[in-house]
Amino acid sequence: MNGPTAEGQKHGRGTKGGRRGTTAEGRKLTRSFSWLALLGTLLVIAGIVGLIYTGVATLTSMLLFGWLLLIGGIVGLAHAIESRGTNYFWLGVVVAALNLAAGVVVIRHPEGTAEALTMFAALLFLTGGVFRLVGSVVVRGPQMGWTLLQGAFGLLLGLLVLFDWPHSSLYVLGVFFSLALLFDGLGLVAVGVGGRRIVSMVSDRLDVPGPATDSPPKAPDDGQK
C-alpha cells in the first residue's frame, strides 16, 4: 500500500515542480516580448515624429549613415591589421580607408550627401520605372497590369523628386527613413503582442489541473473475501 502512494506523491511533486519551471519560463518569455513591443512602440513614435519633421529626419539619417561608415572602417582596419601577411591585408586596408573617408565626408557635409543620395534615388526610380514599363509591354505576362502600375509609379516618383531637386533632398530621405522606422516598429509591436498572447494561452493550458494521481489506493473490503 505504501509503494503506490509514495510513487504518486513523487509524481505529484514532480508535476508541480515542472509546472513552476514552465511558469517561470513563461514569465521570462512574456517579459522579453514586452520589451520587444516597447522597442517597437518607440520606433513607431520615432517614425511619426520623423514624418512630421522630415528635415531633421534627413539630417539624422545622414549622420547615422556617416557614423556607421566610420565605425565600419575602424572595425575593417582592425581586422585587416590582424590579418597582415595574408592576401586579404591590402584589400582590407583599402576598403577600410574608403569607409573612413566616406564616413568623414558624410558627417562633415550631411546636406551635400543628402543631395547626392537624393539624386541617386531619383535616377534609380526613373530607370526602374522605365525598365518595368518596357518589360511589361514586351513580355505581356499574366501580371502585366500590376507591372505597368509599378513602372508608372516609379517613373512618376523619380520625375517628382528630380524636378524638385535639390529642395527634395530635405525631405525625401527623411520620409524614407521615417517610414522604415514606422513599419519596423509596427512589425515589432505585432510580434511582441502576438508572442505575449501565445505565451499566455500556453501558460493557461498548462495551469489547468489534471486528474489526481497522488491519492492512495483503496484497501479491499474484508467482508467481500
Side-chain angles (χ1 to χ4, degrees):
M1 292 178 61
N2 294 331
T5 305
E7 290 180 359
Q9 291 176 355
K10 290 180 181 179
H11 180 72
R13 285 197 296 267
T15 304
K16 292 179 181 178
R19 286 179 180 175
R20 282 197 296 268
T22 305
T23 304
E25 292 296 330
R27 289 176 181 174
K28 290 181 181 180
L29 286 175
T30 302
R31 194 178 300 112
S32 301
F33 282 120
S34 299
W35 282 110
L36 200 65
L38 178 61
L39 177 61
T41 304
L42 294 177
L43 290 180
V44 169
I45 294 173
I48 294 174
V49 173
L51 289 175
I52 297 174
Y53 302 100
T54 54
V56 177
T58 299
L59 292 179
T60 302
S61 62
M62 289 297 96
L63 291 176
L64 287 176
F65 180 57
W67 279 108
L68 286 176
L69 287 174
L70 198 61
I71 294 172
I74 295 173
V75 173
L77 185 60
H79 192 301
I81 292 174
E82 288 181 356
S83 61
R84 59 183 179 275
T86 62
N87 296 327
Y88 171 78
F89 175 71
W90 288 110
L91 178 61
V93 169
V94 171
V95 173
L98 289 176
N99 285 333
L100 288 172
V104 171
V105 170
V106 171
I107 292 173
R108 294 189 62 182
H109 305 284
E111 295 88 357
T113 306
E115 292 179 0
L117 290 179
T118 303
M119 173 65 74
F120 182 69
L123 293 177
L124 282 180
F125 288 139
L126 283 174
T127 54
V130 170
F131 275 112
R132 282 193 177 94
L133 288 174
V134 175
S136 62
V137 172
V138 172
V139 177
R140 295 180 180 274
Q143 303 293 331
M144 178 179 176
W146 179 248
T147 308
L148 280 173
L149 183 61
Q150 285 182 325
F153 179 76
L155 185 62
L156 179 62
L157 185 60
L159 290 175
L160 289 176
V161 174
L162 193 60
F163 288 158
D164 199 27
W165 190 86
H167 183 264
S168 59
S169 63
L170 298 176
Y171 59 87
V172 170
L173 297 179
V175 169
F176 290 161
F177 180 67
S178 302
L179 287 176
L181 289 178
L182 182 62
F183 287 116
D184 287 343
L186 290 175
L188 289 178
V189 169
V191 171
V193 174
R196 280 175 54 91
R197 195 170 297 171
I198 293 174
V199 171
S200 177
M201 291 172 59
V202 173
S203 299
D204 290 341
R205 289 189 178 182
L206 290 177
D207 289 339
V208 175
T213 58
D214 54 353
S215 59
K218 295 181 179 180
D221 192 0
D222 294 336
Q224 294 179 357
K225 290 182 180 180

